[in-house]
Every structure is written in C-alpha cells, then in structure tokens.
C-alpha cells in the first residue's frame, strides 16, 4: 500500500511536469518495494524512474533503470513486463545512436508481444524495427517488410494514429528506394487517415515526405505547398509544446497541494488501521488498491500512446529531439547528394553546464537549456533546422550552406547567446557555448558529418570554450 501511494504521488508529479518530485517519489517506492519483497512494485518503480530520466534528458540513466526493470520482469517471468521495458530500452538506445542495441531490444519486444497475442504491442515493435533498419540503410528490404507487418496489424485493430505513423515512414523509405508510385499511394493514405482523426504528431513528417514525392514527380509547386504546410504544422507543435510546459510549471503549486493531500490521507489511513475494526481497515485497503490499479492502468495506456506516436519533440525545451533531428539530417544529406547543393552541420555544447546543476540545482540547469533553445530558435535562419541532440548538446542542420556560410551562422548564434542576459533567481550568470562545424564532403554520410562536428566541438572546448571551430 505504501508502495502504491508513492507510485501515485510520482505519477501526479510527473504529469504536472515536476520531474524532481516525481523522481523522489518513485525512488521511495523502489526502496519500499525492495525492502518489502514486492517485485511487481519494484518493476513499476524502476520503469517509472527510467521514464523520468528520459524526460530529463539523462538517456544513459534511463537505459540503466529500464535494464534493471527488464531483469525484474525476467525474474518474475512476466512477458508484459519484459516487452514493455524492451520497447523502452529500444527507444533510448536508438536516441543514443546505438541502432544495433535498439534493434536487439525491439526484437525481444516483438517476441514477447507475439507470445502474449498483443497486437498493439506487436505493431509498435514491428514499426520500430522498420525505423531502425531504415536509419541504418534506407534501401534495406527488411525495413519495408517490417513496416508492412506493422501496417497489417494496425489495419486489423483500426489503430488510426499508428497507421499515420507507419504509412508515413513506409512512404519515406519508398522515396529513398525510388518507388515513387508506392510512396504516393501510402502518403495519400496517411494524410487521409490523419485528416479523418484531426491530425497526429506525425502529420508534419508526412507532409515532408509528400514534398519529396511531389518533387520526384516534377511538381515543384506541389512540393513547395507541402513544405509550407509542414513548416506551419511543425511550428504549431513547437508552440503547443512550449505552452504545455508553461502550464506544467503553473500547475506545480497544484501538484504540491495534491502531494500534501496524499500525505494527509496516508496519516488518516494509518490511524484507521488502529482505531477501526478489521473490516473497515480491509475496506480502506481495497479502495487504495483499486485507485492504484486504476492509476497504473491509465499510466500504461498513456505511455503506450506516447510510444506508438513516436514523439519528435523534446519535452524540456519544446524543440525537435534527437530522433527528429536524425530524420531531418538523413533527408538533408540525401537531398544534398541529389542536388549537389552544400550542407553544413553545427554541434553546440553549453559551456560549464555541470556547474549550473552542481551550484544551483537541476532546475537552474533546465532553465539554461530552455534559454539556449530560445536563443537558437530566434537566431537561426528560416531554412535551418535546430533541436536538442541530448544532455546539454544541440544540433544545427544548415541546408544550402557552405563552410563560410556555416561559420557565419555559428558565430552569430555563439555571439547572441554570449550577449543575452541569463537571469536565475535574481542573479545574472554568464552563458556561453562551444560550436563544432562540419561540411558534407564527397562520399560522406550522416555519421561522418556528425563525427566531424563532434571532433571540432571538442577542439573548441580544448582551445578555451566560447568559440567556433571548423572540422579539419
């Protein structure tokens, strides 16, 4: 019962946007579950801690807790526990660019969901397998087979949101393989389903693919129109994410009140255990367990919904996340190869970020990341793509930009962040970034470009920080 109370408290804090309180409540639940010998509670607490760490951008920490949760699922011989944590591990490892590891865990989830006869879980696993295979090699026929498997299952269960995601991803791969007729069929179906349900988070990506189809068919005006819709929808999503974040912050007082109310209720329940007879005590326990079970079911439903929609927005900053950036980068590299136009990439790292966390707390560190995101968003050009790469790193994708133009953009961003006042709790702090800049060369792929930018960024750190270094 104490474990369930901590889990409910953690859920309230998590969905109110208070990550630190959520983490504390889930860690208390974990400690109580271990001491009480409750492996099911341990599994739920470990999984939830992984969710919070992933939201906070600590992907390595999230992977560690998901792995521990999976180990408990194996010990319990719980296929649903194993499958859910395997999906989470796959997502985190994919965001960490460990595609082989992600693929391994998605296949584990596929096996367990198949044995459970769980079509929704199976479709998620198959879709994610297709995503990883297409990221490794867009022409891999296994990627299309995985997407087709996910498509068949999602059609059978009438999973409209999942259909939009899978049809869009399938069309994107077909564009890369040159099967424009199939891509046209699937992208049109994706947009029809999306319109019928009022749109999904994947809709902007579908319009991006539509633009590629239109371009391949020679309809440049159609491609431009699709790109305009993509840009508008993506901007609306970013705005909604930022507004949601503001609402979450404003609701923290409400979450605090809920936390205190739970504590009061727990004290009253303890008194009832002494003062009331056995029947009354059992009735109170039944109510708490029922509430906990209902809350756990709602949490699982929301988590499954988030996973299947493959969110592309970083929850902390409201800008594109690592997964979205990888998709954009892959497309821009392919476009640069086809058109012969230049492409540059900037890797941005916040200088001395650990000191903000150590000296002023993680809330200050979070605000630093939001401030950098705001500065980047306001200073890059309309054609540029920016997002959070992970931790304190951000990525700038600069289409139609050669080495000299890339230096101008990177130096502009660096200067704006250096000169923009950063105030926290009434004090001004110096905020600077180091930027590594790379240019797509002949024969380079996305990974080559990322490695070159990463090496250049570390040289900027070694040479004093608060500077831009171009790849050698």
């Amino acid at each position: 019962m104490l474990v369930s109370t901590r889990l409910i408290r953690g859920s309230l804090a998590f969905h109110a946007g208070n990550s630190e309180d959520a983490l504390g409540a889930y860690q208390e639940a974990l400690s109580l579950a271990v001491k009480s010998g409750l492996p099911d509670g341990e599994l739920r607490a470990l999984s939830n801690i992984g969710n919070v760490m992933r939201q906070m951008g600590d992907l390595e920490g999230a992977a560690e807790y998901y792995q521990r949760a999976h180990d408990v699922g194996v010990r319990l011989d719980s296929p649903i526990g194993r499958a859910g944590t395997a999906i989470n591990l796959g997502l985190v490892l994919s965001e960490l660019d460990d595609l082989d590891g992600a693929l391994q865990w998605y296949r584990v989830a596929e096996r367990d969901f198949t044995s459970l006869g769980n079509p929704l879980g199976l479709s998620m696993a198959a879709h994610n397998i297709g995503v990883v295979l297409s990221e490794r090699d867009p022409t891999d026929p296994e990627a299309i087979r995985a997407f087709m498997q996910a498509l068949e299952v999602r059609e059978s269960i009438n999973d409209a949101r999942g259909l939009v995601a899978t049809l869009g991803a399938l069309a994107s791969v077909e564009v890369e393989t040159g099967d424009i007729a199939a891509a046209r069929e699937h992208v049109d179906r994706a947009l029809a389903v999306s319109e019928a349900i009022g749109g999904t988070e994947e809709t902007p990506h579908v319009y991006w693919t539509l633009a590629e189809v239109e371009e391949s068919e020679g309809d440049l005006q159609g491609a431009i129109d699709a790109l305009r819709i993509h840009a508008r929808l993506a901007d609306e999503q970013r705005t909604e994410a930022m507004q949601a974040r503001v609402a979450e912050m404003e609701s923290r007082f409400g979450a605090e009140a809920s936390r205190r109310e739970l504590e009061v209720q727990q004290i009253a329940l303890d008194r009832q255990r002494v003062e009331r007879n056995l029947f009354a005590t059992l009735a109170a326990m039944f109510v708490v367990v029922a509430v906990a079970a209902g809350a756990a079911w709602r949490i699982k439903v929301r988590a499954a919904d988030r996973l299947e929609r493959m969110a592309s927005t970083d929850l902390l900053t409201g800008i594109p996340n690592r997964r979205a950036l990888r998709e954009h980068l892959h497309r821009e590299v392919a476009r640069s190869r086809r058109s012969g136009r230049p492409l540059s990439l900037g890797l941005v790292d916040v200088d001395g970020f650990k000191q903000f966390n150590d000296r002023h707390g993680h809330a200050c560190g979070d605000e630093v990341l939001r401030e950098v995101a705001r500065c980047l968003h306001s200073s890059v050009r309309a054609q540029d793509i920016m997002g959070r790469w992970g931790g304190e790193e951000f990525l700038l994708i600069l289409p139609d930009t050669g080495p000299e133009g890339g230096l101008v953009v990177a130096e502009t961003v660096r200067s704006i962040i250096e000169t923009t006042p950063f105030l926290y709790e009434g004090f001004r702090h110096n905020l600077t970034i180091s930027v590594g800049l790379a240019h797509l060369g002949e024969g380079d792929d996305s990974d080559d470009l990322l490695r070159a930018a990463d090496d250049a960024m570390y040289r900027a750190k070694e040479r004093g920080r608060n500077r831009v270094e171009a790849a050698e």
Side-chain angles (χ1 to χ4, degrees):
M1 184 163 51
L2 291 176
V3 173
S4 296
T5 301
R6 272 27 175 222
L7 289 171
I8 295 171
R9 184 183 302 165
S11 175
L12 289 171
F14 182 74
H15 292 288
N18 194 339
S19 299
E20 291 187 1
D21 281 1
L23 193 60
Y26 287 143
Q27 286 173 335
E28 288 179 10
L30 175 61
S31 177
L32 288 168
V34 172
K35 290 179 180 178
S36 305
L38 300 172
D40 183 63
E42 184 182 353
L43 172 61
R44 291 163 58 194
L46 287 167
S47 296
N48 282 316
I49 291 172
N51 292 340
V52 176
M53 288 190 162
R54 185 176 175 220
Q55 183 188 56
M56 296 172 70
D58 185 357
L59 299 180
E60 291 85 358
E64 176 187 346
Y65 276 92
Y66 286 147
Q67 177 67 69
R68 290 174 59 186
H70 188 269
D71 292 343
V72 175
V74 171
R75 193 170 77 235
L76 283 172
D77 193 22
S78 168
I80 189 64
R82 295 196 306 264
T85 52
I87 284 283
N88 285 333
L89 276 163
L91 289 170
V92 169
L93 292 177
S94 181
E95 291 172 357
L96 288 169
D97 290 334
D98 182 0
L99 298 184
D100 290 338
L103 184 60
Q104 173 188 344
W105 283 110
Y106 287 146
R107 293 201 185 281
V108 170
E110 180 184 38
R111 181 197 66 209
D112 283 329
F113 280 129
T114 299
S115 70
L116 285 166
N118 184 323
L120 178 60
L122 175 59
S123 69
M124 284 193 294
H127 177 96
N128 290 340
I129 288 171
V131 169
V132 171
L133 291 173
S134 64
E135 286 182 358
R136 293 201 311 186
D137 180 4
T139 64
D140 187 349
E142 289 296 326
I144 292 182
R145 277 194 281 272
F147 284 134
M148 291 301 291
Q149 179 189 5
L151 187 61
E152 181 181 355
V153 176
R154 285 176 163 173
E155 286 176 334
S156 71
I157 61 175
N158 196 27
D159 177 11
R161 289 184 176 275
L163 280 173
V164 174
T166 300
L167 286 166
L170 182 57
S172 181
V173 171
E174 288 163 341
V175 168
E176 294 296 335
T177 59
D179 191 352
I180 304 304
R184 163 62 74 179
E185 176 189 351
H186 289 134
V187 80
D188 285 349
R189 282 187 61 196
L191 290 174
V193 175
S194 175
E195 182 178 357
I197 62 174
T200 76
E201 291 183 359
E202 295 298 327
T203 304
H205 300 296
V206 178
Y207 273 102
W208 181 284
T209 304
L210 174 62
E212 293 184 317
V213 172
E214 300 279 13
E215 181 185 7
S216 299
E217 293 176 340
D219 186 353
L220 296 183
Q221 185 58 52
I224 292 171
D225 292 342
L227 285 175
R228 284 174 176 165
I229 297 174
H230 160 80
R232 175 175 59 79
L233 293 177
D235 186 63
E236 288 174 358
Q237 283 189 354
R238 286 192 293 269
T239 301
E240 290 173 0
M242 292 301 291
Q243 290 174 342
R245 181 61 187 171
V246 171
E248 288 171 357
M249 295 298 292
E250 290 175 344
S251 70
R252 288 183 65 174
F253 291 107
E256 177 68 12
S258 297
R259 181 181 67 81
R260 291 177 179 174
E261 182 179 354
L262 274 176
E263 291 176 345
V264 171
Q265 291 176 352
Q266 182 61 49
I267 292 172
L269 189 60
D270 291 340
R271 289 176 178 173
Q272 289 173 6
R273 190 176 299 136
V274 176
E275 296 172 356
R276 294 186 178 183
N277 58 35
L278 180 60
F279 174 81
T281 302
L282 289 174
M285 290 177 64
F286 174 80
V287 170
V288 172
V289 170
V291 170
W297 178 81
R298 288 191 295 273
I299 292 168
K300 288 179 180 178
V301 169
R302 284 193 295 266
D305 187 56
R306 286 198 304 272
L307 291 176
E308 66 159 317
R309 284 182 283 147
M310 302 277 295
S312 62
T313 300
D314 177 63
L315 295 178
L316 179 65
T317 61
I319 61 177
N321 63 12
R322 190 185 190 102
R323 176 180 296 278
L325 288 169
R326 285 196 65 86
E327 292 176 358
H328 283 302
L329 181 59
H330 172 71
R331 288 176 178 139
E332 290 301 329
V333 168
R335 189 184 301 277
S336 177
R337 286 174 176 169
R338 289 196 302 266
S339 66
R341 300 189 66 82
L343 174 66
S344 293
L345 184 75
L347 184 61
V348 176
D349 188 89
V350 181
D351 295 329
F353 179 73
K354 186 175 183 296
Q355 295 180 4
F356 286 103
N357 281 333
D358 292 346
R359 295 178 182 177
H360 308 289
H362 288 284
C364 179
D366 289 349
E367 190 54 41
V368 166
L369 297 176
R370 294 189 197 99
E371 179 64 21
V372 172
R374 286 191 288 266
C375 289
L376 291 176
H377 186 265
S378 64
S379 58
V380 298
R381 304 164 300 177
Q383 72 198 59
D384 301 329
I385 302 163
M386 52 76 65
R388 185 180 177 197
W389 189 238
E392 66 269 28
E393 291 183 345
F394 297 80
L395 203 66
L396 302 175
I397 302 174
L398 311 175
D400 299 325
T401 305
E404 292 183 0
L407 282 172
V408 171
V409 173
E411 183 58 36
T412 299
V413 169
R414 186 207 62 77
S415 177
I416 287 175
I417 289 178
E418 181 186 25
T419 57
T420 298
F422 174 63
L423 301 176
Y424 184 75
E425 293 185 345
F427 294 94
R428 176 169 178 163
H429 303 272
N430 294 325
L431 188 58
T432 63
I433 59 172
S434 296
V435 185
L437 192 69
H439 181 69
L440 185 68
E442 185 175 354
D444 287 346
D445 59 18
S446 301
D447 291 335
D448 296 325
L449 197 56
L450 286 165
R451 278 192 293 270
D454 190 58
D455 291 343
M457 185 271 289
Y458 276 104
R459 279 199 304 277
K461 293 287 189 184
E462 293 169 354
R463 294 176 181 178
R465 303 181 178 182
N466 190 25
R467 59 187 293 128
V468 178
E469 287 289 333
E472 296 176 347

